[in-house]
Amino acid sequence: MNEEFNPITIPSLSLNDGNSIPVLGLGVYKTTEEKEMHTAVDAAYRCGYRLFDTASVYGNEEILGNAIRDLGIPRQDIFLTSKVWNNAQRLGDVPGAFHRTMNRLGTDYIDLYLIHWPVPGCIRQTWTELIHLKEAGLTRSIGVSNFTPAQLESLERETGVVPVLNQIECHPLWRQKETVDYCQSHGIQVQAYAPLARGAYMDREILRTIGARYGKTPAQVGLRWLIQRGISAIPKSVHPSRIAENAAIFDFSLTGPEMTAIDAMDECLRTAHVPEDLIDTEWAVLTD
């Protein structure tokens, strides 16, 4: 690698269990080629990233773990997130799925383990299994992904354990105001996946205009907007220059009017796909 990076100190957010999580991390969705993963992890770590987000369904936990070891990155220096997939929930094999994830990553603990999607009929049991994994010290924190306020409320009511984090698609074209407001009022951190909306807002004039004032790109403005809303983000990239660009968002702040202007861009645009096995469920209806 010839690229030179100026490491950035990425701040952390407190979780409701006493742990903390970096406010910005690297998502590795669809990164399944070993050389690409090695390049991305190397660039991210040297830029200052310490959070790496994967999932069993991505099929890349093993090559992420390999990259971390090959690069000599100390395990205690990084924060690893992974997620349990829908079939393991339906089969009642959450502990087995978790241990397979640990083995593929080559670690003896996970920093944050999430329910990837709320599978009807499985939510309470899956959450109970995550609680047991945390009690056993195998994962330091537990949370959810793609949960609605109603589902979050049900979890707390039925188990008494509140997730530390809800990972949802969130970006200027889909504010997710109701879910974000619920989480933030109940001590649940919000983390945005697909924070760049798969590139859907890069040509929006309002973001170009705001970015020009600070010498920033629309992507950097969109990420900064999330951070100032108290939302963490896990943008995905395998390109070292883009990984560095995504991290260069802590040297400027958006004004109140600029934040409001970006808020007004909301189109409820979903850019990530709902899994086929959930399309006809109550979850899909609740989130339309």
Side-chain angles (χ1 to χ4, degrees):
M1 299 296 296
N2 297 318
E3 292 87 353
E4 294 297 330
F5 300 109
N6 294 317
I8 293 170
T9 299
I10 295 175
S12 294
L13 295 172
S14 297
L15 300 174
N16 63 31
D17 63 357
N19 294 318
S20 61
I21 186 170
V23 75
L24 185 75
L26 182 72
V28 298
Y29 175 62
K30 287 191 174 181
T31 306
T32 56
E33 201 278 321
E34 194 142 9
K35 185 176 180 180
E36 272 194 336
M37 180 70 80
H38 190 288
T39 297
V41 171
D42 179 52
Y45 187 75
R46 290 192 292 125
C47 281
Y49 289 75
R50 294 299 180 264
L51 164 61
F52 297 91
D53 178 278
T54 185
S56 62
V57 76
Y58 298 169
N60 61 14
E61 290 172 321
E62 185 172 0
I63 64 170
L64 173 60
N66 289 343
I68 290 167
R69 287 190 300 278
D70 291 347
L71 292 165
I73 297 173
R75 175 64 182 92
Q76 66 272 18
D77 285 0
I78 58 173
F79 189 107
L80 289 177
T81 299
S82 195
K83 315 171 191 78
V84 59
W85 187 241
N86 304 348
N87 58 348
Q89 297 184 56
R90 291 192 178 95
L91 292 170
D93 189 32
V94 175
F98 177 84
H99 285 281
R100 288 190 292 275
T101 282
M102 280 208 307
N103 288 339
R104 287 190 291 262
L105 286 168
T107 183
D108 57 2
Y109 70 95
I110 304 295
D111 294 281
L112 175 62
Y113 198 53
L114 306 178
I115 300 177
H116 204 150
W117 288 87
V119 176
C122 300
I123 297 172
R124 179 175 179 175
Q125 181 58 38
T126 300
W127 186 239
T128 299
E129 295 288 1
L130 263 64
I131 293 171
H132 293 161
L133 290 169
K134 177 174 169 53
E135 290 173 344
L138 295 171
T139 181
R140 292 183 172 176
S141 297
I142 54 175
V144 298
S145 183
N146 300 299
F147 271 54
T148 66
Q151 290 164 337
L152 291 166
E153 186 175 23
S154 178
L155 273 189
E156 180 178 6
R157 182 177 63 251
E158 294 181 8
T159 70
V161 179
V162 180
V164 301
L165 179 146
N166 187 17
Q167 190 182 103
I168 58 175
E169 180 176 355
C170 189
H171 45 71
L173 301 182
W174 195 17
R175 289 178 63 196
Q176 293 254 41
K177 185 177 187 306
E178 179 185 0
T179 299
V180 171
D181 286 352
Y182 179 89
C183 290
Q184 292 184 336
S185 67
H186 287 78
I188 302 169
Q189 290 291 355
V190 178
Q191 186 172 73
Y193 70 79
L196 304 178
R198 308 289 200 261
Y201 61 74
M202 298 306 147
D203 61 349
R204 299 300 178 98
E205 186 61 31
I206 182 64
L207 295 179
R208 288 183 177 277
T209 299
I210 292 173
R213 296 172 190 156
Y214 302 101
K216 299 294 182 179
T217 65
Q220 290 171 314
V221 173
L223 291 171
R224 182 67 204 181
W225 172 80
L226 285 168
I227 299 302
Q228 286 188 212
R229 291 179 66 201
I231 299 170
S232 63
I234 46 169
K236 182 258 180 179
S237 181
V238 295
H239 304 291
S241 61
R242 188 64 55 80
I243 289 170
E245 176 186 299
N246 290 341
I249 58 172
F250 300 102
D251 57 352
F252 76 109
S253 295
L254 299 171
T255 66
E258 288 168 342
M259 292 289 291
T260 300
I262 299 172
D263 288 348
M265 294 175 62
D266 191 1
E267 302 172 358
C268 296
L269 176 69
R270 184 199 304 279
T271 66
H273 299 295
V274 177
E276 290 184 4
D277 61 339
L278 293 180
I279 287 176
D280 295 326
T281 68
E282 180 184 7
W283 181 90
V285 174
L286 285 170
T287 56
D288 280 345

